[in-house]
Amino acid sequence: MKINMMFLMLLALVIITSIDSCHSKKSPPDSKEVAEAQNKATFDTTSVEDDVQFAIAAADGGLLEIQLGNLALTNASSAEVKKFGQSMIDDHSGANKELAALASQKNITLPQTLSEKNQEYYDDLQKRRGKAFDEAYTDFMVKDHQEDIDEFKKEAKKGNDKDLQSWAQGKVPVLEHHLLMAQQTQESLKNK
């Protein structure tokens, strides 16, 4: 009887511990925040700290553009929106590979998954289909590329790391072209 009672008490303790650990599980850490923390120790007191922050944000933004482009291929109803989405996949995949190679040379850690903020954008758009997706996606792409152009121009003009500065400068015309494409796609949707 003592053994059975001990067994039951031990079993109850295991169950309670298991339940408690299930409730205390957190979502995985934000990849952008992890990259920022890893870079902080290396670059926090250097003249390239802002350049490192730019690289992290550019990588996070590129990941979002790629994933939203893939989403456009499945959720959009407009052929133009799908074509635009494919352009985002192609161009941002290439840009992210270039940035990853550059960051690797400089020992900069970049995010490998979407930040929490960008995941929220993705999750919101993922719920939409057809015309509702087309409109929300192109509206977001116009706004996002306007912001990206400003950030890339700032890095191209004021960056302290010459390689990142040059990379950003080379991407400004591509981003301006993306903005024009997004605006044209947005306008074509309004005329339908």
Side-chain angles (χ1 to χ4, degrees), residues 5 25 74 80 95 98 118 139 145 159 169 172-173 184 192:
M5 187 61 105
K25 286 186 179 175
T74 59
E80 291 173 83
E98 292 172 10
N118 283 349
D139 289 349
H145 279 90
Q169 187 173 13
V172 169
Q184 290 171 340
K192 287 187 177 179

Side-chain angles (χ1 to χ4, degrees), residues 72-130:
L73 297 180
T74 59
N75 290 13
S77 61
S78 165
E80 291 173 83
V81 173
K82 289 181 181 204
K83 182 179 176 185
F84 178 72
Q86 186 62 57
S87 294
M88 296 302 96
I89 295 166
D90 297 342
D91 292 348
H92 286 281
S93 292
N96 271 21
K97 285 179 185 172
E98 292 172 10
L99 181 58
L102 189 57
S104 177
Q105 293 171 5
K106 298 178 175 295
N107 295 319
I108 297 172
T109 302
L110 297 178
Q112 301 301 309
T113 59
L114 293 177
S115 64
E116 288 178 14
K117 176 183 170 188
N118 283 349
Q119 185 66 51
E120 288 174 10
Y121 292 137
Y122 179 86
D123 291 344
D124 179 56
L125 284 170
Q126 186 179 31
K127 297 172 190 171
R128 301 168 192 250
R129 302 278 186 279

Side-chain angles (χ1 to χ4, degrees), residues 41-90:
T42 307
F43 299 103
D44 200 24
T45 59
T46 68
S47 63
V48 296
E49 179 182 3
D50 290 340
D51 302 278
V52 171
Q53 291 301 315
F54 164 79
I56 292 169
D60 186 40
L63 289 170
L64 179 63
E65 299 284 351
I66 295 163
Q67 290 190 25
L68 290 179
N70 281 314
L71 196 56
L73 297 180
T74 59
N75 290 13
S77 61
S78 165
E80 291 173 83
V81 173
K82 289 181 181 204
K83 182 179 176 185
F84 178 72
Q86 186 62 57
S87 294
M88 296 302 96
I89 295 166
D90 297 342

Side-chain angles (χ1 to χ4, degrees), residues 148-162:
D148 290 347
I149 290 166
D150 291 343
E151 291 302 313
F152 275 69
K153 283 183 175 180
K154 179 181 171 186
E155 177 65 20
K157 186 175 183 179
K158 297 182 179 181
N160 289 323
D161 182 290
K162 297 304 176 198

